[in-house]
Amino acid sequence: MSERDTMDRDTSTRTALVTGASSGIGREIADMAASDGYDLVLTARREERLEEVAGMAEAEHGVSATVVAQDLAEPDAADRLHEAIRDAGIDVDVLVNNAGVPLYGEFTETDREAERGMLRVNVTAPTELTKLFVPGMVERGRGGVLNTASLTSFYPVPGKAVYGATKSYLLSFSRALAHEVEDEGVTVTALCPGVVETEYAERGNVDESGTMSGVTNDPRSVAEAGWNGFRDGERIVLPSGFASYAAQLTRVLPRRTVTDLGEQTIEEGASWI
Ligand SMILES: NC(=O)c1ccc[n+]([C@@H]2O[C@H](COP(=O)([O-])OP(=O)(O)OC[C@H]3O[C@@H](n4cnc5c(N)ncnc54)[C@H](OP(=O)(O)O)[C@@H]3O)[C@@H](O)[C@H]2O)c1
């Protein structure tokens, strides 16, 4: 029986926790989950935006949506979020680790504090949230994790070296964990989009003129591919033909060439991505 069959036949209320649900891909994933009948726990920093997303999910899909505003760059963020959800008596069946921030610039020049914050949001928070919520899924024998990684998970990116590495971490972590829990009724999926038109371009010194040119995707189609892939129990979702092609290329080209191409995604406005 496939994961989709299992989930479709189970009519009890299920809850999806979505991080970074206030905009972009996360907001769309939350809507996809609600349209599938999942109750929601929505988190990010901007509470008003989250309330708006929650209100829409409740009105359009008849699910219940709980907002917990949390800055995931705070050192104890995962514990605070977990505690708030536990105190509300909610079991999380699906964890969507989607919140993430970029930081562009040469490694010798980027701000150390901004980098620390990015590591907490992109690496520490998803790891700790997974640690806190997956054991319950294993105990219940059902559930899953959807991690928003990136096409950059597949190659190094000079000019955003640490951001690229955080996304490689998330892909590696997802693949290994998927293997560990596959017999426990729990799936793990890494969503690996190329460039997506979201508020990402306004964060982390991103040069909008450059990185938003080339092949871009809209957040809805990326979220749909990610959520459907997750429902199908896929381990890696490359949400466009181009992303698939680019990820395959990184496996056959010489490593140095792959790094050169990674650098061009910054210097030449993502022309090949
Ligand atoms: N856009 C792209 O080209 C692209 C490509 C590949 C992968 N991705 C990945 O896709 C994911 C979603 O990004 P997006 O493109 O949808 O961009 P986005 O619109 O900027 O969304 C980022 C989300 O993360 C939340 N967030 C940021 N910093 C946070 C913090 N310190 N604490 C809690 N939440 C925080 C934001 O909410 P608040 O500001 O309200 O906190 C927002 O909801 C990220 O992991 C990103 O790395 C994006």
Side-chain angles (χ1 to χ4, degrees):
M1 189 186 295
S2 72
E3 177 70 11
R4 183 184 277 275
D5 290 338
T6 314
M7 289 186 176
D8 285 347
R9 279 174 208 180
D10 187 347
T11 52
S12 60
T13 307
R14 295 154 293 157
T15 301
L17 163 61
V18 184
T19 74
S22 60
S23 64
I25 300 165
R27 183 183 172 119
E28 298 298 335
I29 292 178
D31 185 63
M32 292 290 298
S35 71
D36 265 353
Y38 279 80
D39 284 344
L40 301 174
V41 179
L42 305 171
T43 191
R45 290 165 301 180
R46 290 170 295 177
E47 197 164 1
E48 271 180 29
R49 291 276 207 103
L50 294 171
E51 293 290 359
E52 194 186 298
V53 179
M56 279 170 62
E58 289 180 336
E60 287 174 19
H61 305 298
V63 298
S64 148
T66 304
V67 165
V68 185
Q70 177 63 53
D71 183 351
L72 292 175
E74 288 175 4
D76 56 352
D79 285 308
R80 289 169 69 168
L81 194 50
H82 181 250
E83 257 173 55
I85 293 167
R86 192 193 53 202
D87 291 352
I90 297 170
D91 284 333
V92 169
D93 301 291
V94 174
L95 167 62
V96 182
N97 283 311
N98 165 79
V101 281
L103 182 63
Y104 282 58
E106 296 289 315
F107 180 74
T108 52
E109 290 164 15
T110 44
D111 179 71
R112 192 171 161 199
E113 196 49 44
E115 207 150 68
R116 185 178 287 138
M118 178 177 67
L119 283 165
R120 286 192 180 135
V121 176
N122 295 11
V123 174
T124 308
T127 308
E128 293 192 348
L129 288 171
T130 304
K131 189 72 145 189
L132 290 163
F133 287 108
V134 164
M137 296 177 197
V138 168
E139 211 171 284
R140 293 187 291 278
R142 68 170 200 200
V145 183
L146 171 58
N147 289 324
T148 307
S150 171
L151 185 53
T152 65
S153 301
F154 293 90
Y155 55 89
V157 194
K160 53 173 185 176
V162 180
Y163 173 79
T166 67
K167 293 299 173 179
S168 297
Y169 170 91
L170 211 48
L171 175 60
S172 174
F173 173 56
S174 302
R175 292 174 65 194
L177 184 64
H179 214 71
E180 286 186 20
V181 297
E182 72 176 340
D183 295 332
E184 311 287 346
V186 177
T187 62
V188 183
T189 301
L191 169 61
C192 302
V195 179
V196 192
E197 288 176 71
T198 64
E199 293 175 19
Y200 173 97
E202 294 153 29
R203 302 179 196 263
N205 298 333
V206 177
D207 174 2
E208 202 171 340
S209 61
T211 56
M212 285 297 136
S213 62
V215 180
T216 61
N217 300 278
D218 68 280
R220 183 67 188 188
S221 66
V222 170
E224 273 175 8
W227 181 255
N228 290 334
F230 166 73
R231 291 289 311 264
D232 287 342
E234 288 173 23
R235 290 191 179 181
I236 298 176
V237 175
L238 289 151
S240 68
F242 185 80
S244 249
Y245 165 74
Q248 288 302 327
L249 261 189
T250 64
R251 301 174 71 181
V252 293
L253 291 174
R255 287 196 181 94
R256 178 74 191 225
T257 307
V258 169
T259 308
D260 284 343
L261 287 170
E263 185 174 39
Q264 284 175 29
T265 65
I266 300 290
E267 290 183 346
E268 294 172 17
S271 55
W272 76 281
I273 209 175

